[in-house]
Amino acid sequence: MSDTVVVGAGLAGLSAAVRLADAGRRVTVLSAGVGGLQLSPGLIDVAGYAPDRVARPRDGIRALADGNGGRHPYATLGVERVERALEWIRTLAAGLGFVGD
């Protein structure tokens, strides 16, 4: 029996489920379908376009954080937290042949 339910099987839902399971929780993931991962398998675009192509993602994150009156999620997270999250994903996917930076 689960003690935690995660709604959604997209990247955010599955990431939350893995984090909770790693913390010892028994997790059930509920989804109306297969989630959005099939739309861009293997791709996590952090700040590739903002709205034009971004050559340096850290600058793109800062631009998104500074725009829209500070209402973008990156305004709350900041570059360092985004980088830590990406490192966690790299570690999680290391055995799956993940290639990228």
Side-chain angles (χ1 to χ4, degrees):
M1 173 171 245
S2 297
D3 55 22
T4 305
V5 175
V6 173
V7 178
L11 182 60
L14 294 177
S15 294
V18 169
R19 291 273 191 169
L20 288 161
D22 284 348
R25 304 298 291 263
R26 294 172 300 185
V27 181
T28 296
V29 176
L30 297 179
S31 178
V34 295
L37 294 179
Q38 78 281 4
L39 299 175
S40 58
L43 172 68
I44 300 172
D45 182 2
V46 179
Y49 293 87
D52 297 320
R53 179 115 169 78
V54 173
R56 293 186 308 272
R58 285 179 186 89
D59 293 343
I61 292 169
R62 286 187 187 97
L64 288 168
D66 294 341
N68 296 319
R71 293 186 306 264
H72 193 281
Y74 287 161
T76 301
L77 293 173
V79 174
E80 294 76 22
R81 284 186 178 158
V82 173
E83 287 178 337
R84 285 198 317 261
L86 290 172
E87 187 55 38
W88 175 77
I89 290 171
R90 281 188 200 103
T91 301
L92 185 65
L96 303 175
F98 173 78
V99 177
D101 59 16

